[in-house]
Every structure is written in structure tokens, then in C-alpha cells.
Amino acid sequence: LYQQTADAAAVTDDRPWREGTPAVRLAWLRQLRRLQPELSHAYVREALAPRGEPAPIKEQVIRLLADLPDPADDDLLEASLDARAAGVRDAAAHALRGRPDSAFAQRMRTRFRQWIHVEHDPLQFVVQLPTTLDAASKRDGMEISRHSGEGSARRCLRHLLTAVDLATWQSIADPADVIAAGLSSPLDTALLDGWAGRAVIEADAEWAATLLGLRHDALRPHLGGLARVAPPAVRDAVSRALLPQLLGPRGPIPFAG
């Protein structure tokens, strides 16, 4: 208790934020965020104001908000979607993906209903992405380039899927049935990529376990993230199965997530 009191008192001295290097300033803000989140809001708002910090600092502050979320930040992140710097806009969109009650998430669920049509008996998903995007979609980080072909559409679909909470899919069917239907789609790799990214964001053990059981190449970039949130028994089984690949001639699998 004494140490917690001392730490809380230490962060009320904001000289590290006013006078420190970027690393020192961000470390201080992170500590303030953890110990006195309400007090941190004023500094975050100041940093993200249009005439606030330089873009690289704004990006780091937004990443901090993604790590230590608070609904009170949603309006700041929403405003940051209009920032001049692309890195700030991208960081804000990434942070908002983890906030299912935000206006951003609501817009993404609306696009989901417009662009992905659900058919039953058998269950399948018909993806109909627009050929061009309106200004609101572009503001939310969506992008389709007529010059990049199918790859651009897949990136757009992944961006959508990582922003749509898994509960939306589970309102259709259970994870195993949803994923099985996705495997029959021409866009199966994009669907798996998006679901894996979302499972990591939500730390959903059931989705992670189901996806890891597929041993699908599209999931290789997500193996580390999925393993971290999967049940221990599944994580251990997958680790044993992948050991030969980890030690193989191609080098280690990139455990990103």
C-alpha cells in the first residue's frame, strides 16, 4: 500500500511529461494512465489536440490508449480519424477496433451487414465489396484500389473483419460452423485472416482453439497471437505439432499477432 501511494504521488509531478525525452514522457503517461486514469485524460486530450503533439508522439499516445482502453477516450480516437498524418489515422482506427461499443464499431457492423450476405442450408457467406468507397468508409481506414485488384479487396475485407466483434458472427452460428462455411468461400484466406486478427483482439479462447485446429497456411502470421489466447491444452498441442516446422530449413515461423 505504501508503494502504491508513493507511485501515485510520483506521477502527479508532471515534469517528466513537460521536460523529458519522448521515451520518458510516454513512460510517465503510461504510469499515470495505470495509477490515475482520470487524471491522465487531460494530458491525453492535450497531446491529441489538432495543435498538440507532433504526429509521431500522437501515434504513440494512441497506441498507449489501445493497450489501456477507457471508453472516455472514444471521442478523441474518433477525432483522430480526421488527423492529417496517415500514421495517426491508422493508429486511431486500430485502437477503435478493440472497442465494440464505439461509433466506429457500429459503422463497421453496418458495413458487415451491407457487404457480407448470409445464406443458409447450407451456411455460406457471399462477400460483395463495393467497387468504390464513400468518404465515410475511407475515413474509417477502408481502402480499395482499382489498380491493386483482388489483393486490395482482401485487405479491405480483413480490415472490416478485424473491426467486427465475434459476437456478430456468433449470432449467425457457433464458431466451428462459421469457420467451416468460410473455408468454402473463394475469399477463405481473407476471412481466416480477419477472424484470427479479431480472435487475438478479443482474446477469445474458443475462436483461437478452433482456428488453430485448422493448421491453415493463412493463419501462420497469427500463430503466436492465437496461441497466447488459446486454452493451455490446445496451445501445448499446437506447439508440439509445429516444432518440426520451427526447426526446419526455412527458419522460425513469424510469431506475430
Side-chain angles (χ1 to χ4, degrees), residues 29-37 40 68:
L29 185 59
R30 181 175 291 273
Q31 186 180 27
L32 181 67
R33 180 79 167 184
R34 286 179 173 143
L35 296 174
Q36 299 192 42
S40 74
L68 301 169

Coordinates of all heavy atoms in Angstrom, one line a residue, residues 29-37 40 68:
L29 N 3.4 8.9 -18.9 CA 2.0 8.9 -19.2 C 1.4 7.5 -19.1 O 0.3 7.4 -18.6 CB 1.8 9.4 -20.7 CG 0.3 9.6 -21.1 CD1 -0.4 10.6 -20.2 CD2 0.2 10.0 -22.6
R30 N 2.1 6.5 -19.4 CA 1.6 5.2 -19.2 C 1.4 4.9 -17.7 O 0.4 4.3 -17.3 CB 2.6 4.2 -19.9 CG 2.2 2.7 -19.7 CD 3.1 1.8 -20.5 NE 3.0 2.0 -21.9 CZ 2.1 1.3 -22.7 NH1 1.3 0.5 -22.1 NH2 2.1 1.5 -24.0
Q31 N 2.4 5.3 -16.9 CA 2.3 5.0 -15.5 C 1.1 5.8 -14.9 O 0.3 5.3 -14.1 CB 3.6 5.4 -14.8 CG 3.6 5.1 -13.3 CD 4.9 5.5 -12.6 OE1 5.5 6.4 -13.0 NE2 5.2 4.8 -11.5
L32 N 0.9 7.1 -15.4 CA -0.2 7.9 -14.9 C -1.5 7.2 -15.3 O -2.5 7.2 -14.5 CB -0.1 9.3 -15.5 CG -1.3 10.2 -15.1 CD1 -1.2 10.6 -13.6 CD2 -1.2 11.5 -15.9
R33 N -1.6 6.7 -16.5 CA -2.8 6.0 -17.0 C -3.1 4.8 -16.1 O -4.3 4.6 -15.9 CB -2.5 5.6 -18.4 CG -3.6 4.9 -19.1 CD -4.6 5.8 -19.6 NE -5.6 5.2 -20.5 CZ -6.5 5.8 -21.1 NH1 -6.7 7.1 -21.0 NH2 -7.4 5.2 -21.9
R34 N -2.1 4.1 -15.7 CA -2.4 2.9 -14.9 C -2.8 3.3 -13.5 O -3.7 2.7 -12.9 CB -1.2 2.1 -14.8 CG -0.9 1.3 -16.1 CD 0.4 0.5 -16.0 NE 0.6 -0.4 -17.1 CZ 1.8 -0.7 -17.6 NH1 2.9 -0.1 -17.1 NH2 1.9 -1.5 -18.7
L35 N -2.2 4.3 -12.9 CA -2.4 4.7 -11.5 C -3.5 5.7 -11.3 O -4.3 5.6 -10.3 CB -1.1 5.2 -10.9 CG 0.1 4.2 -10.8 CD1 1.3 4.9 -10.3 CD2 -0.3 3.0 -9.9
Q36 N -3.7 6.6 -12.2 CA -4.7 7.6 -12.0 C -5.3 7.9 -13.4 O -5.0 9.0 -14.0 CB -4.1 8.9 -11.4 CG -3.5 8.7 -10.0 CD -3.2 10.0 -9.3 OE1 -4.0 11.0 -9.4 NE2 -2.1 10.1 -8.7
P37 N -6.1 7.0 -13.9 CA -6.6 7.1 -15.3 C -7.4 8.4 -15.5 O -7.3 9.0 -16.6 CB -7.5 5.9 -15.4 CG -7.7 5.4 -14.1 CD -6.5 5.8 -13.3
S40 N -5.1 11.2 -16.2 CA -4.4 11.1 -17.5 C -5.2 11.7 -18.6 O -4.6 12.1 -19.7 CB -4.1 9.6 -17.8 OG -5.3 8.9 -18.2
L68 N -4.3 0.4 -22.9 CA -5.0 0.6 -21.7 C -6.3 1.4 -22.0 O -6.5 2.6 -21.8 CB -4.1 1.5 -20.7 CG -2.8 0.9 -20.4 CD1 -1.9 1.9 -19.7 CD2 -2.9 -0.3 -19.5

